Amino acid sequence: MKRVLGLVAVVMLLAVLVPPTAEAQSGEPDWYVDESSLPFDGLPGVDAEQMWGIHQNAGYRVEVPANWNGDLIMFAHGFRGEDARLFFNEPGDEFPEGFREWMLAEGYAWAMSTYSKNSYNVSQGVKDTHGLSRRFNGLVGKPDNVYIAGYSMGGHITAVSAERYGNTYSGAMPMCGVVGDYAL
């Protein structure tokens, strides 16, 4: 009996002395940016500057063509799952086919965030994308117009961003069944 009581006392003492992890406290994983996924290459034959880094606990990518027309397109990516790893795919897998090429050929700069949390978290995607649009001002300069586009969950983020930050975005292109009707 003394052994059992001793074991119970040790377990209770450990429960008091060992703090729970952040995940246990908040119910969320310890989100982290996979910095190896941030760098990306330019398109062959396209003169553009590529930038990447971390801003407000989210990774970002920015690309500005040499013939920048003064406008910025914020791009919101889709659902990344529930994993704690915040990452980018290869640029060819992030955008609809031909979209990056078109943006750069037309002189548009673009920027996108990993968001600082995964899951179907539209609110966080809206905040992080808007925060990155402000960060762009310090990295490159204040754009003449800022547009936002996204597909899948990113389309949902695009629609909410246009409503919440109507003074920031000159136009929006949400591509997502969530913002369409039942026929979609």
Side-chain angles (χ1 to χ4, degrees):
M1 184 69 171
K2 286 184 181 179
R3 253 191 180 154
V4 171
L5 288 176
L7 182 60
V8 168
V10 168
V11 169
M12 289 175 64
L13 184 61
L14 285 174
V16 171
L17 295 178
V18 178
T21 65
E23 181 175 351
Q25 291 173 354
S26 70
E28 294 181 342
D30 293 329
W31 310 107
Y32 70 95
V33 176
D34 178 353
E35 292 186 46
S36 69
S37 77
L38 300 181
F40 65 106
D41 294 325
L43 293 170
V46 176
D47 186 10
E49 181 179 3
Q50 295 76 37
M51 295 172 252
W52 56 85
I54 297 176
H55 177 65
Q56 298 178 340
N57 301 314
Y60 68 83
R61 284 180 173 170
V62 171
E63 191 167 31
V64 182
N67 65 334
W68 185 36
N69 65 15
D71 291 345
L72 169 65
I73 298 176
M74 299 301 301
F75 194 80
H77 69 71
F79 180 70
R80 290 282 198 253
E82 302 292 333
D83 192 44
R85 178 178 168 250
L86 306 169
F87 66 96
F88 285 117
N89 291 314
E90 291 301 314
D93 297 332
E94 292 288 2
F95 299 106
E97 187 175 338
F99 192 61
R100 180 181 177 207
E101 293 81 354
W102 175 84
M103 288 186 292
L104 296 173
E106 294 297 319
Y108 291 96
W110 63 265
M112 67 186 314
S113 171
T114 62
Y115 318 136
S116 59
K117 296 179 181 180
N118 279 334
S119 192
Y120 198 92
N121 194 331
V122 172
S123 179
Q124 194 65 54
V126 168
K127 289 176 198 169
D128 292 337
T129 301
H130 185 259
L132 179 56
S133 74
R134 297 294 182 221
R135 175 74 180 117
F136 183 90
N137 296 348
L139 287 171
V140 177
K142 187 169 179 6
D144 299 329
N145 293 290
V146 180
Y147 302 97
I148 185 165
Y151 66 93
S152 191
M153 183 184 82
H156 195 172
I157 290 167
T158 297
V160 173
S161 294
E163 290 177 350
R164 186 169 296 159
Y165 297 109
N167 291 333
T168 297
Y169 301 110
S170 300
M173 186 171 66
M175 298 169 273
C176 176
V178 172
V179 298
D181 63 14
Y182 67 90
L184 292 175

